[in-house]
């Protein structure tokens, strides 16, 4: 379905620790084909890491970028584009979802976050906009159920747990789940449409 009537809506897509790779660019194309303007910033300021270099990619992000600095950059991006769009939303994956979550407390119209595991470090954040969060049931580093209980009581927050592993939305990942991908994609697009419609 094409939402050309929402051409004044901007969607900023935030990548995983690996950087601006084929997964993020392909997802950006899908959002663009749905009628939204799309920005896919390269928060790493370098070429993407291959998936085999997960530890190096994470270490680079933590030491060279960090969540607070990345969130500041995205907030500035929103301010820079605010006059041009009626509605600005963020979709993030993994660290990108955590950054989106941090930005939800500022002047954003809505966020969608996929398996933002570090959201657990910022669970006290109170979103000022609608926030749709998807988590994988099977996370190695933390208890998803405990985090969900904390987040469910946050204002504007809608949480869904997918029976799968971190990376289920990434067609290039071994954790990819095609059916979950399609279901989450449809729910996300419905969510973006609902927000955009309310802002036009």
């Amino acid at each position: 379905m094409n939402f050309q009537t929402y051409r004044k809506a901007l969607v900023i897509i935030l990548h995983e620790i690996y950087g601006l790779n084929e997964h993020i660019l392909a997802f950006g194309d899908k959002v663009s084909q749905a009628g939204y303007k799309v920005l896919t910033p390269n928060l790493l300021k370098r070429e993407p890491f291959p998936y085999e270099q997960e530890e190096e990619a994470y270490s680079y992000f933590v030491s060279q970028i960090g969540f607070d600095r990345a969130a500041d950059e995205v907030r500035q991006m929103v301010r820079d584009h605010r006059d041009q769009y009626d509605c600005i939303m963020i979709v993030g994956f993994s660290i990108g979802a955590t950054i989106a979550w941090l930005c939800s407390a500022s002047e954003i119209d809505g966020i969608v976050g996929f398996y933002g595991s570090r959201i657990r470090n910022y669970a006290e954040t109170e979103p000022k906009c609608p926030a749709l969060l998807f988590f994988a049931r099977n996370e190695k580093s933390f208890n998803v159920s405990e985090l969900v209980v904390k987040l469910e009581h946050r204002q504007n927050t809608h949480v869904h747990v997918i029976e799968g592993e971190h990376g289920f939305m990434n067609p290039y990942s071994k954790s990819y789940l095609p059916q979950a991908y399609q279901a989450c994609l449809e729910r996300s697009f419905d969510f973006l449409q609902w927000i955009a419609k309310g802002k036009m």
Side-chain angles (χ1 to χ4, degrees):
M1 191 176 294
N2 194 297
F3 307 126
Q4 288 298 337
T5 51
Y6 310 140
R7 62 185 176 277
K8 290 190 178 178
L10 173 67
V11 179
I12 301 171
I13 299 173
L14 303 181
H15 58 67
E16 303 167 301
I17 53 172
Y18 304 105
L20 190 56
N21 59 17
E22 63 271 29
H23 161 43
I24 299 302
L25 294 173
F27 191 86
D29 286 343
K30 281 189 177 295
V31 176
S32 180
Q33 288 162 16
Y36 300 96
K37 298 295 184 182
V38 170
L39 272 183
T40 50
N42 183 352
L43 299 174
L44 300 188
K45 306 292 190 288
R46 53 155 287 162
E47 70 280 358
F49 286 89
Y51 292 115
E52 311 84 68
Q53 293 183 4
E54 180 180 358
E55 288 185 17
E56 293 92 331
Y58 184 74
S59 176
Y60 180 88
F61 176 79
V62 170
S63 64
Q64 301 298 318
I65 313 295
F67 287 104
D68 293 334
R69 181 174 158 194
D72 284 344
E73 181 177 340
V74 175
R75 289 187 196 104
Q76 185 59 51
M77 200 175 302
V78 171
R79 288 191 290 269
D80 290 345
H81 290 84
R82 179 51 78 184
D83 290 344
Q84 303 166 48
Y85 296 95
D86 299 312
C87 177
I88 300 179
M89 301 170 285
I90 302 175
V91 177
F93 296 85
S94 194
I95 60 160
T98 301
I99 296 164
W101 176 249
L102 290 172
C103 291
S104 72
S106 55
E107 299 305 312
I108 311 292
D109 296 300
I111 71 157
V112 178
F114 294 100
Y115 36 84
S117 55
R118 288 291 167 179
I119 287 175
R120 68 186 187 273
N121 296 342
Y122 305 97
E124 73 287 349
T125 297
E126 291 285 358
K128 292 181 180 177
C129 66
L132 176 62
L133 303 177
F134 296 93
F135 291 97
R137 173 76 66 194
N138 305 315
E139 285 277 5
K140 299 172 187 173
S141 53
F142 72 103
N143 186 309
V144 174
S145 298
E146 288 179 4
L147 177 59
V148 168
V149 168
K150 292 179 184 177
L151 296 176
E152 281 179 331
H153 301 293
R154 291 282 175 264
Q155 189 175 358
N156 298 316
T157 306
H158 312 272
V159 184
H160 298 277
V161 179
I162 305 302
E163 297 299 331
E165 298 180 354
H166 197 104
F168 63 82
M169 285 295 289
N170 184 349
Y172 302 90
S173 165
K174 62 182 184 303
S175 301
Y176 175 56
L177 296 175
Q179 286 184 313
Y181 175 94
Q182 193 57 40
C184 292
L185 187 70
E186 290 174 10
R187 182 167 279 174
S188 299
F189 275 27
D190 286 347
F191 184 75
L192 295 176
Q193 180 189 8
W194 170 68
I195 295 170
K197 218 170 188 177
K199 293 291 178 179
M200 297 300 147

